[in-house]
């Protein structure tokens, strides 16, 4: 590897036609990925008078003559990930699809289980030492080049020089085709309102200091707007796009708190615009590696607070995720979804998130289904799934029963399909047959009444309307109460709270009845530490209210925060006032009402105070 490489470089220069003369019938040819697809070499395949050549590739962009029907006798594509340019060929049986975890593809090449005869790659011109960078596409391209018997490289001065494990020496290349041309640009789809709502729900799960796996498309792009208040995010991903630059320039992505490769964005390929290509050129913040490293779940898990975000086509009520097909029709591929789901799940404080729009085909079909469409494959198993996010909310499934999963997923399905989903869940005995329908199906969850408050020690907690899926948490709350707390709340020493009683507490219509809960912990680790509710008497317009706080959290500001917020909600709903029944020994509850600032009418009988509070025009 001395300076003589310059002479050898000149000797290897060829036209596309001359370089591609190396292809022979029966060869297996690899093509570089995504924006790194060697456009000139791929176009040259159309002019080769050859037959029976297999083309293997990951996602490719731009021209794909080998997938055209007129060339079916000459080439047959075999896609590890089905991109739009080969999708019709796969659907019509003129091309193949090989399902495999992205992290495991390099081993196919290197072990010889899928031997490569030729690799067509796209690289930068060599540096002063004779090394060319794979640029925007290291992924499986570098392992393919290291495994193929012959390497043909398209050398392009407009390819950005990326750093990391991303180089090949001129001596490892057999033929060179120069092409000074702009790289193929990937245009990010526009942000829809649905994508923005999903992105907002995802952003709520991302904590400061998290390392995130970002992708490309409408939802990652929309996520940008909801992460601008986050601090010190890091990136470890297989692919990223322009939105990453925006977050760097906004000071959100700093990589300072990464536990693996601190200060670096670790990735395998990039898809985006010319702006992105210029930004990553020779930029030491970015470190590119093959997917055998970036997608290794063991490597991913070394990033603390790792958050993976991957999309799905369908999710069934048990939590099975289909991400590569629509029924029998293969659409994309397994990709790196399972790699990152498993890596994030094993990360310290990590989160594995599956995102999907709740419907498809202009709201004609639900993407949350009783059972996966016939022919659809399971990419991520029900045992691997943690968070599922739609525009309607977040469902946490890991460690949850089928009943809990089904209810959680129905609650984030599109409202027009919830009744059907609940009916099917009952039919399959996934949920209780007496599971109320109204709250889950027809009542709108009033997210506008969510608010945050703090304990006396400054610890934040969330106050939100109760959900039907809160039944297990409310059960835990009840059994945490002391005998005195149970007696003050229910006026009797209840010993149990079975489903038939508890279901009445968690299923409310949010109109004549409202219930709020105080919650600590992130989604999936939530604990309800207090609850309050009211029931409206239509005859008087007044509402009977009740409140309970877990013993260990009493006298820490939770009861006051719950009660004050319940008053705000009630007034917004047009309730005229509250009526509370308080045992004369329950001094806490008595003080709570009397210090509220509203006029109180007091009546005492048989050891019970009846306290009536009328809101009137008192300002708060």
């Amino acid at each position: 590897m001395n300076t003589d490489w310059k002479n050898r470089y000149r000797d290897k220069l060829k036209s596309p036609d001359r370089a591609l003369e190396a292809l022979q019938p029966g060869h297996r040819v690899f093509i570089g990925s995504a924006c790194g697809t060697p456009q000139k070499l791929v176009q040259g395949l159309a002019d080769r008078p050859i037959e029976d050549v297999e083309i293997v590739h990951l996602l490719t962009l731009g021209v794909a003559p080998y997938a055209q029907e007129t060339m079916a006798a000459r080439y047959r594509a075999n896609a590890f990930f089905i991109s739009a340019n080969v999708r019709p060929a796969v659907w019509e049986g003129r091309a193949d699809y090989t399902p495999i975890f992205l992290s495991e593809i390099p081993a196919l090449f290197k072990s010889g289980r899928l031997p490569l005869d030729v690799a067509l790659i796209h690289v930068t011109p060599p540096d002063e030492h004779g090394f060319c960078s794979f640029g925007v596409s290291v992924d499986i391209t570098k392992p393919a080049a290291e495994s193929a018997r012959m390497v043909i490289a398209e050398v392009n001065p407009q390819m950005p020089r990326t750093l990391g494990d991303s180089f090949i020496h001129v001596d490892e290349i057999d033929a060179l085709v120069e092409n000074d041309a702009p790289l193929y640009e990937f245009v990010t789809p526009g942000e829809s309102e649905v994508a923005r709502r999903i992105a907002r729900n995802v952003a709520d799960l991302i904590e400061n200091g998290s390392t995130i796996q970002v992708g490309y498309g409408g939802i990652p792009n929309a996520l940008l707007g909801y992460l601008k208040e986050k601090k010190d995010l890091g990136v470890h991903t297989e692919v990223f796009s322009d939105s990453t630059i925006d977050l760097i320039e906004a000071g959100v992505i700093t990589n300072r708190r990464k536990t693996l490769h601190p200060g670096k964005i670790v990735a395998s390929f990039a898809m985006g615009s010319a702006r992105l290509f210029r930004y990553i050129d020779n930029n030491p913040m970015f470190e590119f590696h093959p997917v055998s490293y970036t997608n290794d779940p063991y490597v991913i898990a070394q990033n603390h607070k790792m958050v993976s975000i991957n999309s799905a086509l369908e999710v069934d009520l048990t939590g099975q995720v289909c991400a590569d097909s629509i029924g029998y029709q293969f659409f994309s591929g397994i990709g790196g979804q399972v790699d990152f789901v498993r890596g994030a799940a094993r990360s310290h404080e990590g989160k594995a998130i599956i995102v999907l729009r709740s419907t498809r085909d202009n709201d004609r079909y639900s993407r949350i289904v009783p059972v996966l469409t016939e022919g659809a494959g399971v990419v991520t198993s029900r045992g691997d799934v943690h968070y599922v996010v739609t525009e309607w909310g977040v469902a946490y499934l890991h460690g949850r029963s089928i009943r809990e999963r089904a209810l959680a997923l129905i609650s984030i399905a599109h409202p027009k399909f919830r009744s059907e989903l609940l009916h099917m869940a009952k039919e399959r005995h996934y949920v209780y047959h007496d599971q109320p329908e109204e709250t889950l199906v027809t009542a709108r969850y009033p997210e506008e009444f969510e608010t945050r408050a703090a304990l006396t020690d400054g610890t934040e907690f969330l106050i939100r309307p109760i959900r039907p899926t809160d039944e297990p948490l409310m059960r835990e709350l009840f059994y945490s109460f002391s005998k005195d707390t149970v007696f003050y709340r229910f006026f009797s020493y209840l010993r149990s709270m079975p489903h038939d009683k508890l279901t009445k507490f968690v299923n409310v219509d949010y109109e004549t009845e409202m219930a709020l809960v105080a919650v600590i912990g992130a989604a999936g680790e939530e604990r309800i530490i207090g609850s309050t509710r009211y029931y409206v008497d239509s005859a008087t317009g007044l509402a009977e209210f009740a409140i309970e706080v877990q013993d260990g959290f009493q006298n820490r500001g939770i009861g006051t925060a719950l009660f004050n917020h319940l008053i705000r909600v009630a007034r917004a709903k047009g309730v005229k006032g509250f009526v509370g029944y308080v045992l004369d020994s329950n001094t806490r509850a008595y003080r709570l009402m009397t210090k509220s600032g509203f006029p109180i009418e007091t009546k005492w009988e048989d050891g019970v105070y009846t306290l009536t509070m009328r809101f009137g025009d008192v300002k708060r």
Side-chain angles (χ1 to χ4, degrees):
M1 294 185 183
N2 53 35
T3 54
D4 289 344
W5 67 260
K6 294 181 180 179
N7 294 328
R8 294 193 293 277
Y9 178 94
R10 285 190 292 270
D11 292 342
K12 294 177 181 182
L13 281 176
K14 297 182 180 180
S15 67
D17 286 344
R18 288 287 310 279
L20 293 172
E21 286 177 354
L23 272 62
Q24 299 295 321
H27 270 179
R28 179 178 290 116
V29 178
F30 171 83
I31 291 177
S33 312
C35 296
T37 302
Q39 302 292 327
K40 192 170 186 177
L41 287 173
V42 172
Q43 187 61 58
L45 293 175
D47 302 323
R48 295 303 306 149
I50 196 171
E51 292 184 345
D52 195 24
V53 170
E54 180 184 358
I55 305 290
V56 297
H57 58 82
L58 196 58
L59 179 151
T60 59
L61 297 173
V63 296
Y66 51 85
Q68 295 175 5
E69 187 173 4
T70 55
M71 296 194 181
R74 296 164 59 186
Y75 300 107
R76 186 173 182 89
N78 180 2
F80 297 116
F81 193 96
I82 304 167
S83 43
N85 55 9
V86 297
R87 197 168 289 139
V90 173
W91 289 352
E92 294 166 16
R94 296 182 283 105
D96 296 312
Y97 162 53
T98 297
I100 185 173
F101 299 144
L102 188 53
S103 62
E104 297 181 354
I105 297 174
L108 281 183
F109 301 152
K110 293 196 170 187
S111 67
R113 282 178 287 140
L114 194 73
L116 300 176
D117 296 293
V118 180
L120 305 182
I121 66 174
H122 196 173
V123 298
T124 66
D127 61 19
E128 63 270 28
H129 304 291
F131 284 94
C132 302
S133 171
F134 284 93
V136 298
S137 190
V138 175
D139 48 75
I140 66 172
T141 304
K142 185 174 189 287
E146 293 169 343
S147 305
R149 292 191 302 106
M150 176 175 290
V151 177
I152 302 174
E154 185 169 317
V155 181
N156 188 349
Q158 298 193 47
M159 171 69 82
R161 182 178 186 266
T162 60
L163 308 177
D165 185 9
S166 57
F167 293 95
I168 183 171
H169 197 271
V170 166
D171 287 346
E172 306 302 320
I173 299 172
D174 298 283
L176 298 156
V177 175
E178 294 184 329
N179 182 31
D180 187 348
L183 269 63
Y184 190 94
E185 295 185 49
F186 177 81
V187 179
T188 302
E191 301 172 24
S192 65
E193 176 59 27
V194 169
R196 284 191 287 271
R197 288 167 60 189
I198 294 172
R200 182 186 61 194
N201 291 335
V202 171
D204 288 342
L205 296 173
I206 298 175
E207 303 173 56
N208 293 336
S210 296
T211 292
I212 58 175
Q213 173 215 353
V214 294
Y216 60 93
I219 293 173
N221 200 47
L223 189 57
L224 166 68
Y226 296 98
L227 292 180
K228 289 185 176 178
E229 300 304 316
K230 305 293 181 179
K231 294 181 175 62
D232 289 331
L233 298 185
V235 176
H236 181 112
T237 187
E238 63 189 40
V239 59
F240 65 93
S241 59
D242 290 69
S243 58
T244 301
I245 300 175
D246 297 322
L247 288 177
I248 294 170
E249 294 182 340
V252 175
I253 292 176
T254 66
N255 301 293
R256 288 193 197 105
R257 292 165 64 179
K258 287 184 69 179
T259 51
L260 182 68
H261 300 290
K264 301 283 188 179
I265 287 176
V266 173
S268 192
F269 64 106
M271 293 171 58
S273 68
R275 174 195 176 215
L276 175 71
F277 305 149
R278 289 191 300 270
Y279 195 88
I280 64 176
D281 183 43
N282 225 32
N283 188 335
M285 176 183 281
F286 297 86
E287 196 169 290
F288 282 71
H289 292 264
V291 293
S292 51
Y293 182 79
T294 60
N295 286 47
D296 183 336
Y298 173 77
V299 173
I300 295 165
Q302 293 177 58
N303 293 289
H304 290 188
K305 289 190 175 181
M306 181 73 211
V307 179
S308 68
I309 305 163
N310 290 277
S311 60
L313 296 172
E314 275 187 344
V315 177
D316 75 13
L317 289 180
T318 73
Q320 296 185 115
V321 174
C322 174
D324 68 343
S325 65
I326 301 172
Y328 291 105
Q329 204 165 51
F330 295 114
F331 186 81
S332 53
I334 291 176
Q337 179 170 128
V338 178
D339 296 331
F340 274 91
V341 163
R342 291 180 174 169
R346 286 155 180 78
S347 160
H348 177 66
E349 298 183 10
K351 295 174 182 175
I353 301 171
I354 298 293
V355 299
L356 75 163
R357 290 169 170 80
S358 65
T359 62
R360 61 180 175 88
D361 297 348
N362 295 318
D363 295 344
R364 290 178 59 199
Y365 303 101
S366 177
R367 289 182 183 269
I368 292 178
V369 292
V371 61
L372 295 181
T373 304
E374 183 175 301
V378 176
V379 167
T380 302
S381 76
R382 57 173 74 101
D384 283 309
V385 174
H386 285 234
Y387 295 88
V388 177
V389 179
T390 72
E391 68 272 29
W392 299 100
V394 178
Y396 185 76
L397 307 187
H398 192 251
R400 300 292 194 256
S401 68
I402 295 298
R403 172 171 55 85
E404 292 167 331
R405 288 163 176 253
L407 290 176
L409 288 166
I410 292 169
S411 74
I412 65 167
H414 193 287
K416 71 183 286 187
F417 296 105
R418 290 179 191 172
S419 180
E420 177 187 355
L421 289 169
L422 182 59
H423 172 77
M424 299 299 284
K426 289 181 177 180
E427 189 175 273
R428 287 167 168 75
H429 306 290
Y430 287 172
V431 300
Y432 291 115
H433 277 280
D434 64 349
Q435 178 68 44
E437 181 171 322
E438 183 178 16
T439 306
L440 195 63
V441 172
T442 60
R444 184 188 71 83
Y445 174 77
E447 62 183 23
E448 65 272 17
F449 293 139
E450 292 184 349
T451 189
R452 291 202 168 270
L455 302 177
T456 51
D457 65 2
T459 303
E460 274 201 355
F461 63 94
L462 173 68
I463 298 176
R464 61 166 173 79
I466 204 166
R467 301 184 180 114
T469 52
D470 286 328
E471 184 171 332
L473 298 179
M474 287 296 290
R475 183 175 184 272
E476 291 174 8
L477 178 65
F478 174 82
Y479 287 108
S480 74
F481 290 153
S482 65
K483 287 184 179 180
D484 286 346
T485 298
V486 171
F487 189 75
Y488 285 146
R489 170 62 180 86
F490 299 102
F491 286 30
S492 66
Y493 290 110
L494 289 180
R495 298 184 60 189
S496 64
M497 186 61 68
H499 162 72
D500 60 343
K501 292 181 180 178
L502 195 53
T503 189
K504 298 171 185 176
F505 287 95
V506 299
N507 288 278
V508 300
D509 62 12
Y510 305 124
E511 294 296 335
T512 61
E513 183 180 0
M514 176 64 72
L516 304 174
V517 290
V519 177
I520 59 172
E525 301 171 357
E526 289 181 322
R527 288 172 54 203
I528 292 178
I529 56 176
S531 174
T532 186
R533 65 186 59 240
Y534 67 68
Y535 311 82
V536 179
D537 183 339
S538 58
T540 65
L542 299 174
E544 180 183 340
F545 89 96
I547 190 167
E548 64 261 7
V549 175
Q550 188 175 336
D551 289 69
F553 286 89
Q554 292 175 6
N555 296 317
R556 298 178 65 182
I558 292 174
T560 301
L562 278 169
F563 187 59
N564 288 341
H565 193 51
L566 189 70
I567 291 173
R568 287 191 286 271
V569 172
R571 297 187 75 188
K573 288 287 188 179
V575 177
K576 295 181 179 179
F578 282 164
V579 177
Y581 299 96
V582 180
L583 290 170
D584 56 10
S585 58
N586 191 355
T587 56
R588 288 198 191 101
Y590 186 88
R591 285 199 306 269
L592 186 66
M593 281 197 75
T594 56
K595 71 179 183 181
S596 64
F598 292 96
I600 301 291
E601 302 168 13
T602 304
K603 181 180 177 182
W604 183 88
E605 184 177 351
D606 295 332
V608 177
Y609 284 107
T610 301
L611 304 177
T612 303
M613 170 193 297
R614 299 183 188 276
F615 299 144
D617 296 324
V618 176
K619 303 297 183 183
R620 286 178 63 80

